DNA sequence: GCTTGACCTAGAGTACACTCTAGGTTGTAT
DNA sequence: ATACAACCTAGAGTGTACTCTAGGTCAAGC
């Protein structure tokens, strides 16, 4: 059971990213350079996929590409940068938590409006 | 105490939007056309500010400009559109709740990574 | 009367994150 | 041998949401 590798198409399916985006993320340094087969095709490892999925989490949480690149660069420099990486993640965690709090608050405003409309015409379904 | 109006500068301060963005939102129909003074300057009412703030909530919750415009157009058409507006808000509420759930999940992944780094070098501050 | 500052419109420019096209190579199936 | 499908690179194009510039009006202060 040697290291199995995946084609870009399969990685696209696994991660939900487009092939374009996968190449773009590599170009932008959000993903470490992916090893190539002899024919030049990308050969992704399971580890690569794991880190791509982590990148999608950071993106979904609103982290800009530049910040993720910084994080990935540090990761490639080895253990000595763990402290700085910790700091980036902690800062981002704060940002996400704040965003969460704001979203919750906005949700309340929206819910309030919904209740208003519902009282107007008596209908509505409640829940998603 | 007749209807007091506000200049665009004051509205910018109250809402946290730039003057450019306020004009842009009006141009794009996210805000009903603001009445002008004789000299052509915008004269915002308190109601205008209330609805601008509501728009900022929708934007912060990720609603695209096109959807907000649709909502505002309906609102201007009167009570008969309340049902459709309710539907827009409910759909968006679902989207926000889903986003909230995803963010919470991503936060867990990030927290997990943070714990990993913290165990590596023993430091970290915990909390924002 | 002239400068200054806040406002106006129309339209150009920017930032970000993709997304696609063009032109080319490689590996498998007929 | 040839068609085709999936891959490659480099670079152009797109969509969204602002953000700024240019050129002009208007009221208040010196």
């Amino acid at each position: 059971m040697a290291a199995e590798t995946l084609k870009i198409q399969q990685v696209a399916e696994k991660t939900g990213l487009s092939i374009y985006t996968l190449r773009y993320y590599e170009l932008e340094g959000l993903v470490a350079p992916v090893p190539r087969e002899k024919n030049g095709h990308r050969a992704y490892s399971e580890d690569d996929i794991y880190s791509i999925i982590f990148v999608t989490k950071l993106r979904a949480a609103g982290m800009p590409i530049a910040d993720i690149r910084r994080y990935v660069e540090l990761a490639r420099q080895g253990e000595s940068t763990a402290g700085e990486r910790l700091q980036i993640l902690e800062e981002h965690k704060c940002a996400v938590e704040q965003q969460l709090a704001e979203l919750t608050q906005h949700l309340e405003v929206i819910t309030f409006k919904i209740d208003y409309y519902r009282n107007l015409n008596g209908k509505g379904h409640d829940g998603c």
Side-chain angles (χ1 to χ4, degrees), chain A:
Chain A
M1 49 189 87
E4 308 269 321
T5 64
L6 294 166
K7 295 283 208 171
I8 197 167
Q9 172 78 66
Q10 299 170 295
V11 177
E13 280 157 16
K14 282 211 176 192
T15 60
L17 296 173
S18 72
I19 290 175
Y20 300 137
T21 304
L22 285 169
R23 291 197 276 243
Y24 168 70
Y25 278 6
E26 185 181 349
L27 185 71
E28 290 296 312
L30 273 59
V31 171
V34 179
R36 308 299 154 111
E37 294 169 14
K38 275 169 188 160
N39 58 17
H41 291 197
R42 286 169 180 82
Y44 290 89
S45 68
E46 283 297 332
D47 273 8
D48 288 332
I49 290 164
Y50 179 83
S51 62
I52 290 166
I53 289 173
F54 185 64
V55 166
T56 65
K57 304 271 183 213
L58 294 178
R59 283 292 303 124
M63 189 183 279
I65 297 232
D67 293 7
I68 300 176
R69 176 170 38 230
R70 174 91 187 116
Y71 178 88
V72 171
E73 273 166 9
L74 287 171
R76 279 167 53 70
Q77 282 167 32
E79 287 305 317
S80 64
T81 64
E84 201 172 338
R85 273 179 279 161
L86 172 59
Q87 200 189 329
I88 290 174
L89 291 184
E90 272 172 345
E91 270 168 20
H92 190 61
K93 185 183 174 178
C94 289
V96 173
E97 277 171 351
Q98 198 181 325
Q99 199 187 338
L100 252 165
E102 279 167 16
L103 272 182
T104 307
Q105 197 200 325
H106 300 160
L107 202 54
E108 274 165 25
V109 175
I110 292 166
T111 304
F112 185 81
K113 277 259 184 185
I114 288 177
D115 285 346
Y116 171 75
Y117 285 124
R118 214 174 258 156
N119 287 340
L120 265 187
N121 63 16
K123 67 182 177 185
H125 57 63
D126 209 34
C128 298

